Amino acid sequence: MNNAPLMITVLGAALALAETACGQDGGTRWSGDLDVNGSFRVRYEALQGQFRPDRPPRDDLWSLRSTLFVQWNPGPFRVAGEIYDSRAFGAGPGGAPTTWEVNVLEPVQLYVASDFDGALGKESRLSLQAGRFTLNLGSRRLVAADDYRNTTNGYTGVRADLRLANRTRATVFYTLPQQRRPEDPEALRKNSFELDREDGSQRLYGGYVSRPLPGGAGLAEAGYVRFRETDTRDRPTRDRDLRSVSARVIADPQPGRIDYELELIRQTGHVRASLQDNAPVLDVSAWFAHADAGYSFAHPWRPRLSVEYDRATGDDPGGRYTRFDTLFGMRRGDLAPAGIYAALGRTNLETLGLRLEAAPSRRLDVFASGRALWADSARDSFSTTGVRDPSGASGRFAGYQFEGRARYWIRPDALRAELNAAILKKEGLLAEAPNANPSGDTHYVSLALTASF
């Protein structure tokens, strides 16, 4: 908390910049060939009633994220770069920041790209990109550039995107995920600078293809993602080699109509049982499913009510590894805030819930949701909480989560406030497991201001 004056000073500078920023389209054109845009976000998070084992009951954190994106368009090629500066302040003794919060002055993007019209027939377009870049693929449940989290995911490699006249789209990619540095807790607490790394010890590649459903009522999509990792001198791993095959159908919300989304992901491959070199290698057999159905009312506030279901397998004793791995996917859109909360992720989880969202004006949007929580496997660690009962005696039921968000444009396209809140009501597994934190139900809140130019 002793960094609050610094945060207020930086926020003041961000507000001044937003007030004088040119244009209202999220970017500034400095010349005919140069585009520049960026953002400053200041956020405070507080958590009471810690759910993680052996952690103090309270946690809070100030975080600052600044981005600057520059793109040069000299002709047939685009050259672009983006710097992320992510810092965290005020973490207590039990809540040291991680690479989810800290990544100082990192060139997350630095790439060259070009588009080729008519490359594969009339009205087709082929786009090629090479270098460092962010990725948001498919539903973003496996590969994403996380936005709620203070740091993002970056990838180095090549990608190709194809669009055909019949609106079929395809993406293929081969990348080396950027491994955020530093990892030392003391260096992270000091917001120390170290460039991220990418090398052949981690490889992520695959492709997606999508096409509109008959009548244009929705979209069908299929994907394949493979992730491979090996040990390095300073980073032991479980040598994951995971193949994820996905299928998805989706119909976007429209007033007075029912919408839906269904996605299934099957994950196979192999993984070592632990970080030890001589640990046995286990075959992987895991899966994930998401389903939701909603109805948007024909009202000026655009209210939408939906039912949501998610299930990701956990690990059970035996010769196979069955805990689903969401790889580089985001969690905020479906499950819960990330940040210092991050209680729910796509692993060893079954959840059923209701969501109500609305946009009362062009400046304001809100949503609220409630969901019941179960572990898929009673013997595995529940989702991303670290709470586990190896005997399974505490059962599968874990409690309830209630959460909501409100976002308001103080100045349209230039300054936005965001409030997030969540309550994790611990029952069953979260309350009775041998390592359950006895600090009571979890209450989380975050408040952020983002200035864009």
Side-chain angles (χ1 to χ4, degrees), residues 63-130:
S63 61
L64 169 66
R65 188 181 72 189
S66 308
T67 69
L68 178 65
F69 178 84
V70 179
Q71 179 171 273
W72 181 43
N73 306 276
F77 295 94
R78 304 185 304 279
V79 180
E82 184 172 29
I83 292 177
Y84 267 69
D85 187 75
S86 303
R87 303 173 186 244
F89 305 89
T98 69
T99 57
W100 283 22
E101 289 84 37
V102 176
N103 199 13
V104 174
L105 289 173
E106 182 62 38
V108 173
Q109 299 201 87
L110 184 59
Y111 63 83
V112 59
S114 187
D115 301 324
F116 303 91
D117 291 329
L120 293 176
K122 186 178 179 181
E123 298 184 23
S124 69
R125 169 172 283 197
L126 175 65
S127 300
L128 301 177
Q129 186 178 21

Side-chain angles (χ1 to χ4, degrees), residues 92-406:
T98 69
T99 57
W100 283 22
E101 289 84 37
V102 176
N103 199 13
V104 174
L105 289 173
E106 182 62 38
V108 173
Q109 299 201 87
L110 184 59
Y111 63 83
V112 59
S114 187
D115 301 324
F116 303 91
D117 291 329
L120 293 176
K122 186 178 179 181
E123 298 184 23
S124 69
R125 169 172 283 197
L126 175 65
S127 300
L128 301 177
Q129 186 178 21
R132 278 188 157 204
F133 44 78
T134 57
L135 283 172
N136 286 293
L137 299 177
S139 64
R140 302 194 299 156
R141 295 185 178 108
L142 287 175
V143 183
D146 202 306
D147 184 63
Y148 187 89
R149 203 180 67 205
N150 205 43
T151 62
T152 193
N153 296 324
Y155 312 84
T156 301
V158 295
R159 69 175 288 178
D161 296 275
L162 176 65
R163 186 191 68 196
L164 299 178
N166 62 4
R167 294 194 293 166
T168 296
R169 293 176 179 267
T171 297
V172 294
F173 62 98
Y174 187 96
T175 65
L176 309 177
Q178 295 166 25
Q179 301 167 36
R180 290 185 294 277
R181 295 292 194 276
E183 295 181 301
D184 175 67
E186 188 59 28
L188 290 168
R189 189 183 294 275
K190 294 179 179 178
N191 292 294
S192 299
F193 166 76
E194 184 179 343
L195 283 174
D196 294 350
R197 302 178 190 175
E198 59 272 283
D199 55 48
S201 66
Q202 288 191 351
R203 288 170 285 171
L204 181 76
Y205 53 91
Y208 283 82
V209 61
S210 65
R211 186 170 183 177
L213 294 172
L219 183 77
E221 175 187 83
Y224 171 80
V225 175
R226 186 171 185 180
F227 176 70
R228 304 177 71 181
E229 69 177 358
T230 57
D231 293 349
T232 62
R233 181 180 302 176
D234 60 348
R235 174 181 276 200
T237 72
R238 297 185 65 180
D239 285 347
R240 288 175 293 171
D241 185 354
L242 302 176
R243 303 172 182 88
S244 302
V245 178
S246 64
R248 182 169 74 119
V249 290
I250 182 172
D252 291 330
Q254 296 185 31
R257 300 182 66 174
I258 295 175
D259 60 85
Y260 60 86
E261 181 183 12
L262 174 64
E263 181 167 37
L264 300 173
I265 304 176
R266 172 68 170 157
Q267 196 168 77
T268 59
H270 61 260
V271 62
R272 280 197 312 212
S274 72
L275 296 177
Q276 300 298 320
D277 290 338
N278 59 352
V281 176
L282 306 176
D283 290 334
V284 173
S285 178
W287 58 269
F288 164 79
H290 169 87
D292 71 66
Y295 182 82
S296 298
F297 297 88
H299 184 277
W301 284 23
R302 294 180 289 169
R304 175 179 178 265
L305 181 65
S306 60
V307 180
E308 303 174 325
Y309 176 80
D310 290 87
R311 186 165 186 172
T313 54
D315 194 33
D316 281 314
R320 296 187 303 173
Y321 186 77
T322 56
R323 186 176 174 93
F324 184 79
D325 191 327
T326 195
L327 299 178
F328 302 92
M330 59 82 202
R331 74 180 78 205
R332 184 65 186 100
D334 292 335
L335 298 174
I340 64 173
Y341 183 66
L344 303 184
R346 288 179 202 88
T347 188
N348 195 31
L349 174 70
E350 183 176 12
T351 175
L352 177 65
L354 285 174
R355 179 185 298 248
L356 177 62
E357 49 197 316
S361 72
R362 294 183 61 184
R363 291 189 172 194
L364 175 65
D365 66 84
V366 298
F367 85 79
S369 73
R371 60 178 70 242
L373 307 171
W374 294 267
D376 175 71
S377 168
R379 298 185 178 185
D380 194 9
S381 175
F382 172 64
S383 197
T384 50
T385 65
V387 177
R388 182 181 185 185
D389 185 348
S391 72
S394 300
R396 294 176 55 232
F397 184 62
Y400 302 91
Q401 177 187 269
F402 305 95
E403 63 149 334
R405 180 184 71 190

